[in-house]
Amino acid sequence: MKEQRTKRTTRHFHRIALALSAVFLAAAGASAAELPREEAVLTHAPNVPPPITRRTPAKVVINLEVKEHIAELAPGVEYTFWTFGGQVPGPFMRIREGDEVEFHLHNNPDNKLPHNIDLHAVTGPGGGAAASFTAPGRSSQFSFKALKPGLYVYHCATAPVGMHIANGMYGLILVEPEFGLPPVDHEYYLMQGEFYTEGEYGTPGLQTFSMNKALDERPDYVVFNGSVGSLTGDNAIHAKTGETVRLYVGNGGPNLISSFHVIGEIFDTVHIEGGDRLNANVQTTLVPAGGSAIVEFFCDAPGTLTLVDHSIFRAFNKGALGMLKVEGEPNLTVFSGKQHDSVYLPEGREPPSDNGHALVRTDREPTLTEQKRAGELVYKQTCFACHQASGQGIPSVFPPLANSDYLNADPERAVAYVIFGRQGPITVNGVDYNQIMTPQNLNNEQIADVVTYVLNTWGNKKGRISATRVQEIRDGGPEPFGAGIHAE
Amino acid sequence: MTVVPSHSARASTRSKVKRIVIALLFASLCGGVEAAFIQVDAGVYRPIYSNEPEQPVAAFLLEEAQVTNEEFLQFVTENPRWQRSKASKLFVDERYLANWTDDLTPGVNAPLNHPVTQVSWFAARAYAQWKGARLPTLAEWEWAASASEDRADSRGDTNFLARILAWYGRPASTGTQPVRSVYKNFWGAWDMHGQIWEWVEDFNSALVTGESRNDSALEGGLFCGSGAAGAADVEDYAAFMRFAFRSSLKARYSTSALGFRCARDLPADLKEPTQ
């Protein structure tokens, strides 16, 4: 009798539980069904999807493919990248607070390794890592709700995690706050990451991942958007004076913290660490590995702003350098430009004249192809800041090297200018210039290579300069070519 | 000169003779397509997590090269239920032999002398049974694969590890090469690294202990820093990648860089006398 009552009670409980769960399921089903369904717009860096205009949550479907492939890390340097969406960083994803995301991760059949994704915007175990763990040639699906607004990093979290990140598997997902972000004129996406290669910086050819350097946190490359030069020259980003720019800045790491700075600007606002808190009037903001920041600034004056990791050797020696070109009328009150220019030589100091001994190459002579290839690297590291990516120079400021009548008239004069520097007026392709080029600290073979490269590029007259000839010009001093710089 | 561990010092002339005998024996058993087995002496398999005990590995026989498309063609010819269009979807996924032209033509994307890939664990196992063999266990495979050209145990040899890692870093789209083309290791087994991944009998055992409450913790460990904290050798990234790869698989999956080779127990009369 007693046993019977117990059974009945249990059955009763079961019935209530069933009914309750039915109600919950119905509610959950109903709310999911009510949400409009849309496919997320994904963009590759430096582009950002348009702001979200809807003011209610949606069911957002994200499809992301993992692809392992070889691409350029720097001019002449290749690397096997592991990527989300075929590029480093992975695509920018933009959703809204309260959205429910249905995430599909596809592992390309040609890949060799399993991958997954840990989105820092996910509240749940592993940020989705275990749920999205996917063998080559398979797809995984999981869902999450975007509970908190902010700019979040996503990355692969498959063992060995460090290596998956070091090979480029990271990107940003923006969860817009309920009422959106204030409108701006331009939004750009920029993500820092470092690469650890067997060869030193600039060593040409296909480079493999160096585990030892990664363990030592000693990268050869620190870059924005996956490669040296991804944001310079023709790849620079643009704005006009009077416009406001918002940069979504992420740091994939895997190891280094970025000291993000824009040379020639002050950030009006910074969303510290990609969160809600705003700081104002900031020069440099820290972006942690696996973290982000949103920076905004108004462009008062025209010119090229240089984006750097102000841990500065990374910028000028390892690649963490980008450009934002601001066009518009100069505002001379905000910034005058150079008003006076002369060389300052302390008393008793002579301009450098002869530091080139023992710089002649002793092994075999390089081929023209080798010289051009090596010269291109020298050019991109030394000359390109003034003479520009395609040798076009800057009108009236830095003379062009492309299709240059002045260069072609006497290439050895150019060698002398690189060795000794040059000061005073010259006319190139009918335009007058009056600037100073400082002596360049390059050895004979670097000078021979870079002048040979320039002579064989951009419509110049071809020809070659040997390291031996550079030494002879060095020995002859600046006078025969009217080279050198002097005190006023 | 490198130091050869004591267990291989026993690789005397006697055992070399034995190996030749074994090779001849199996060459005669498997008419037509050649499948030579080499002997791997007893050793120790060290799991990637240091809290797991080292496992002794008994001497066994291992196929000297991966199973080729040609060999697998013979298998599916004699066993039609393993042909691409006929194989049960319980045992293979949509990518099973998808690189073959049709059921009985490997074709241009699967040269006859290249290792067969895109086969499921079930199919690999059926092939091994058909050959009167089995798949190697994870411990056997790992022990045999830890041999470099001149050392039975090259774990801790950073040059060897770097070579393995370099291969793991190349995309599979770079394709396979004919079998026996990368390197022959101390035991005489070809291309244990550098060509493809290989199925093992207990491929998912790294994450499955039989105690289900522990399994989730183990799996979690593979995805984050805590995985490295318990590792026996934090620098053996290559081992982590193999375990991550295996744990992403299910027995019916097939992928473009995954094949297999067979193993056998050492015949009783050829076993080394115990020390």
Side-chain angles (χ1 to χ4, degrees):
Chain A
M1 184 66 187
K2 194 178 177 189
E3 197 180 88
Q4 248 184 350
R5 196 166 48 228
T6 316
K7 264 188 190 162
R8 206 178 304 139
T9 317
T10 315
R11 223 177 296 142
H12 187 60
F13 272 124
H14 279 168
R15 220 170 289 145
I16 291 174
L18 265 174
L20 276 175
S21 60
V23 169
F24 280 128
L25 279 173
S31 77
E34 280 167 14
L35 288 182
R37 195 178 163 88
E38 62 178 53
E39 180 92 17
V41 178
L42 305 182
T43 59
H44 282 301
N47 299 315
V48 176
I52 290 169
T53 49
R54 59 184 158 76
R55 289 290 165 252
T56 50
K59 182 91 179 172
V60 180
V61 181
I62 296 180
N63 278 285
L64 187 59
E65 190 197 33
V66 178
K67 187 103 185 68
E68 302 160 6
H69 71 130
I70 292 168
E72 202 160 74
L73 174 58
V77 183
E78 290 185 316
Y79 190 81
T80 304
F81 293 94
W82 300 350
T83 69
F84 288 113
Q87 285 188 25
V88 180
F92 196 98
M93 306 167 183
R94 189 166 197 157
I95 58 174
R96 180 187 171 278
E97 179 182 0
D99 281 353
E100 292 174 20
V101 177
E102 180 185 298
F103 203 102
H104 299 260
L105 188 73
H106 311 287
N107 194 350
N108 188 287
D110 286 337
N111 291 346
K112 194 179 269 173
L113 295 161
H115 297 284
N116 64 7
I117 191 166
D118 168 354
L119 298 123
H120 292 180
V122 169
T123 310
S132 61
F133 191 41
T134 309
R138 312 280 318 174
S139 296
S140 295
Q141 180 190 330
F142 70 101
S143 296
F144 69 93
K145 181 164 183 165
L147 298 179
K148 311 240 181 206
L151 180 62
Y152 297 97
V153 165
Y154 64 81
H155 62 90
C156 183
T158 300
V161 180
M163 188 172 173
H164 283 254
I165 295 175
N167 283 342
M169 300 194 74
Y170 42 77
L172 289 179
I173 177 167
L174 173 67
V175 182
E176 278 195 26
E178 218 176 340
F179 301 104
L181 291 167
V184 291
D185 299 298
H186 298 281
E187 292 185 316
Y188 291 111
Y189 168 24
L190 179 151
M191 194 152 188
Q192 182 171 327
E194 70 266 10
F195 289 87
Y196 302 84
T197 53
E198 285 297 337
E200 301 301 316
Y201 180 89
T203 307
L206 179 61
Q207 291 295 319
T208 49
F209 168 69
S210 166
M211 192 185 61
N212 289 332
K213 287 181 181 174
L215 285 167
D216 290 350
E217 307 192 5
R218 196 160 40 84
D220 298 278
Y221 296 87
V222 183
V223 299
F224 294 139
N225 291 349
S227 66
V228 176
S230 67
L231 282 172
T232 57
D234 293 343
N235 301 322
I237 50 180
H238 294 268
K240 292 191 176 69
T241 51
E243 291 183 332
T244 303
V245 174
R246 175 182 291 141
L247 301 178
Y248 295 102
V249 185
N251 185 2
N255 292 317
L256 302 184
I257 290 166
S258 173
S259 308
F260 185 70
H261 176 78
V262 175
I263 298 175
E265 259 301 342
I266 298 161
F267 303 141
D268 300 332
T269 58
V270 174
H271 284 257
I272 300 167
E273 294 162 3
D276 289 348
R277 174 155 298 191
L278 290 178
N279 198 357
N281 302 336
V282 178
Q283 57 191 307
T284 300
T285 191
L286 281 177
V287 188
S292 71
I294 305 172
V295 306
E296 294 167 9
F297 49 89
F298 179 81
C299 298
D300 296 275
T304 297
L305 306 177
T306 308
L307 322 174
V308 296
D309 178 345
H310 212 297
S311 304
I312 206 73
F313 275 88
R314 300 174 190 168
F316 294 106
N317 300 73
K318 297 186 170 185
L321 195 134
M323 287 176 178
L324 169 61
K325 293 186 177 170
V326 181
E327 287 155 28
E329 289 305 310
N331 181 337
L332 298 179
T333 315
V334 174
F335 185 68
S336 71
K338 184 169 281 191
Q339 291 172 311
H340 183 66
D341 183 352
S342 64
V343 168
Y344 169 67
L345 286 176
E347 217 171 310
R349 179 89 64 91
E350 289 299 314
S353 62
D354 184 13
N355 60 351
H357 290 302
L359 289 181
V360 179
R361 189 200 309 252
T362 52
D363 55 36
R364 68 166 176 83
E365 285 300 312
T367 66
L368 177 62
T369 311
E370 285 170 343
Q371 270 199 295
K372 279 159 65 180
R373 187 159 193 164
E376 183 179 6
L377 288 178
V378 175
Y379 186 86
K380 291 195 168 158
Q381 285 161 14
T382 306
C383 317
F384 121 114
C386 297
H387 293 290
Q388 300 292 297
S390 304
Q392 74 272 30
I394 293 179
S396 304
V397 185
F398 301 121
L401 297 177
N403 211 357
S404 163
D405 58 0
Y406 191 86
L407 170 74
N408 289 319
D410 184 0
E412 295 195 344
R413 181 167 59 182
V415 172
Y417 292 176
V418 177
I419 300 172
F420 303 111
R422 171 70 166 80
Q423 181 173 10
I426 60 170
T427 302
V428 181
N429 295 349
V431 179
D432 293 331
Y433 295 85
N434 190 356
Q435 276 286 352
I436 292 175
M437 172 163 157
T438 54
Q440 301 298 311
N441 185 21
L442 298 171
N443 66 28
N444 290 345
E445 66 189 57
Q446 287 172 319
I447 293 173
D449 292 346
V450 75
V451 175
T452 301
Y453 165 70
V454 170
L455 280 174
N456 288 277
T457 314
W458 308 316
N460 287 324
K461 71 169 189 180
K462 304 196 187 304
R464 287 181 73 177
I465 299 287
S466 71
T468 318
R469 185 67 195 130
V470 174
Q471 182 65 49
E472 286 163 9
I473 295 169
R474 211 186 270 280
D475 292 341
E479 289 75 22
F481 297 97
I485 51 178
H486 48 83
E488 289 193 343
Chain B
M1 189 54 203
T2 51
V3 178
V4 176
S6 60
H7 48 254
S8 59
R10 286 186 280 120
S12 58
T13 317
R14 188 170 50 98
S15 75
K16 272 182 192 153
V17 171
K18 266 191 249 167
R19 279 183 210 159
I20 295 164
V21 170
I22 293 157
L24 289 172
L25 185 69
F26 287 116
S28 64
L29 279 176
C30 312
V33 187
E34 187 190 346
F37 283 69
I38 48 89
Q39 180 180 327
V40 178
D41 288 347
V44 171
Y45 159 62
R46 198 172 57 206
I48 52 171
Y49 291 110
S50 53
N51 59 357
E52 294 172 51
E54 293 193 337
Q55 293 174 24
V57 178
F60 67 104
L61 302 178
L62 185 66
E63 211 167 358
E64 70 161 29
Q66 287 126 358
V67 173
T68 63
N69 285 304
E70 183 176 18
E71 291 169 309
F72 207 78
L73 174 62
Q74 192 188 344
F75 166 65
V76 297
T77 308
E78 292 182 24
N79 301 274
R81 67 194 184 93
W82 285 106
Q83 290 168 14
R84 185 172 77 189
S85 64
K86 302 191 179 77
S88 163
K89 292 295 173 237
L90 288 174
F91 301 131
V92 300
D93 69 3
E94 305 74 23
R95 299 185 47 77
Y96 175 63
L97 294 178
N99 56 335
W100 283 27
T101 305
D102 61 40
D103 275 359
L104 293 172
T105 317
V108 286
N109 295 321
L112 288 177
N113 61 347
H114 284 221
V116 66
T117 59
Q118 303 201 23
V119 289
S120 70
W121 177 82
F122 290 111
R125 223 162 166 261
Y127 174 96
Q129 277 172 6
W130 170 73
K131 279 277 179 187
R134 58 176 173 81
L135 293 177
T137 66
L138 189 151
E140 285 172 340
W141 193 95
E142 287 285 329
W143 164 240
S146 67
S148 63
E149 285 92 336
D150 56 359
R151 289 172 65 174
D153 186 354
S154 68
R155 287 173 293 200
D157 175 347
T158 49
N159 285 336
F160 186 62
L161 280 180
R163 268 164 57 198
I164 300 175
L165 212 55
W167 172 72
Y168 287 167
R170 278 202 302 275
S173 53
T174 51
T176 53
Q177 304 168 66
V179 294
R180 298 183 190 84
S181 58
V182 185
Y183 74 104
K184 184 178 183 176
N185 79 6
F186 180 82
W187 306 112
W190 280 92
D191 310 345
M192 295 298 286
H193 305 284
Q195 266 274 46
I196 51 168
W197 308 103
E198 295 181 20
W199 282 111
V200 292
E201 175 71 13
D202 48 345
F203 68 93
N204 52 7
S205 67
L207 298 180
V208 179
T209 62
E211 163 53 83
S212 62
R213 283 168 301 178
N214 287 345
D215 286 348
S216 61
L218 270 174
E219 191 177 12
L222 260 188
F223 293 113
C224 45
S226 63
D233 180 358
V234 288
E235 298 199 10
D236 194 353
Y237 271 38
F240 272 102
M241 292 169 85
R242 282 196 298 280
F243 283 90
F245 178 77
R246 288 181 191 130
S247 61
S248 77
L249 298 173
K250 289 197 167 79
R252 58 186 286 272
Y253 288 6
S254 41
T255 89
S256 56
L258 173 61
F260 68 102
R261 72 180 79 208
C262 301
R264 284 193 174 105
D265 294 339
L266 198 61
D269 57 323
L270 288 177
K271 278 187 182 156
E272 299 272 347
T274 47
Q275 283 179 318

